[in-house]
Amino acid sequence: EAGVAQSPRYKIIEKRQSVAFWCNPISGHATLYWYQQILGQGPKLLIQFQNNGVVDDSQLPKDRFSAERLKGVDSTLKIQPAKLEDSAVYLCASSLGTGRGYTFGSGTRLTVV
Amino acid sequence: KQEVTQIPAALSVPEGENLVLNCSFTDSAIYNLQWFRQDPGKGLTSLLLIQSSQREQTSGRLNASLDKSSGRSTLYIAASQPGDSATYLCAVGSGGGADGLTFGKGTHLIIQP
């Protein structure tokens, strides 16, 4: 089966600019997650979708981050405006459901200068 | 708030050795625990998934155990090979609708040829 697709692979922007990341989960996976992984740290959950509804966004910095999952398939994560501390790898993952295990994409490496 | 700790942070051993990576978590009310592998510049690859009702899981040369009551898990790698060099991440899931994972910082493993 095809894996979780993410684009772009790399992005460099200046602080205060905006950026968007795209994720296409495995076909049939109802649950989609976005994680932020800062260098030297483990991934941190930003937001979880079940179909096109938000299940958990408690750790999403809502003043600058937003995410949507239209039609319960693809998802986009946006940062506006970006800060230096947003430099990280943004990982998308999908799952068939609770306890079914995750599949991660290769991530988007964001550098804010 | 769940916290996950992995020890050691880094490990370098000669090829052929058996080794143990440790993971501890503060809240024993977990739904499952997963071990992932992360190669440089890549996403996460799921190695083993242990449900809260299970004590261990095995896949090839890998064996993961779970002791929920003490908040500990170990990943045992038998007959290590240079290809095992990677960062190993432990993550716990809380279950329910919001089942995002809480990750440790990982163990950076180097197997010397």
Side-chain angles (χ1 to χ4, degrees), chain A residues 25-47:
Chain A
I26 291 176
S27 177
H29 281 198
T31 310
L32 184 147
Y33 313 80
W34 283 101
Y35 285 83
Q36 178 194 57
Q37 186 175 23
I38 294 173
L39 186 64
Q41 306 286 320
K44 182 184 83 170
L45 178 70
L46 292 176
I47 190 166

Side-chain angles (χ1 to χ4, degrees), chain A:
Chain A
E1 68 181 358
V4 176
Q6 290 189 246
S7 67
R9 287 282 283 132
Y10 305 93
K11 191 74 176 179
I12 301 174
I13 62 172
E14 295 182 350
K15 59 183 179 183
R16 291 187 289 274
Q17 286 188 325
S18 63
V19 64
F21 313 127
W22 174 82
C23 173
N24 178 243
I26 291 176
S27 177
H29 281 198
T31 310
L32 184 147
Y33 313 80
W34 283 101
Y35 285 83
Q36 178 194 57
Q37 186 175 23
I38 294 173
L39 186 64
Q41 306 286 320
K44 182 184 83 170
L45 178 70
L46 292 176
I47 190 166
Q48 175 187 348
F49 291 95
Q50 180 72 21
N51 295 308
N52 59 349
V54 176
V55 175
D56 182 4
D57 63 357
S58 58
Q59 300 188 91
L60 185 74
K62 298 180 185 66
D63 57 334
R64 298 183 301 105
F65 286 65
S66 64
E68 61 181 6
R69 190 182 184 196
L70 299 176
K71 300 181 181 178
V73 182
D74 293 3
S75 177
T76 56
L77 176 69
K78 298 179 182 178
I79 307 174
Q80 182 179 12
K83 293 185 175 181
L84 296 176
E85 58 260 37
D86 299 331
S87 295
V89 176
Y90 291 84
L91 295 161
C92 179
S94 68
S95 170
L96 278 170
T98 302
R100 302 290 295 274
Y102 281 52
T103 302
F104 278 84
S106 297
T108 295
R109 181 176 298 277
L110 173 67
T111 302
V112 182
V113 298

Side-chain angles (χ1 to χ4, degrees), chain B residues 32-86:
Chain B
N32 56 33
L33 184 144
Q34 279 189 262
W35 283 93
F36 292 88
R37 168 184 174 140
Q38 187 171 33
D39 294 283
K42 303 287 182 63
L44 279 64
T45 301
S46 180
L47 298 173
L48 291 164
L49 168 65
I50 310 177
Q51 303 295 347
S52 62
S53 58
Q54 299 174 321
R55 295 301 299 268
E56 67 177 346
Q57 283 285 342
T58 298
S59 176
R61 295 182 293 107
L62 305 179
N63 175 274
S65 67
L66 173 63
D67 184 342
K68 241 182 61 167
S69 60
S70 67
R72 296 180 185 277
S73 175
T74 61
L75 177 66
Y76 176 83
I77 303 176
S80 58
Q81 303 171 359
D84 295 330
S85 298

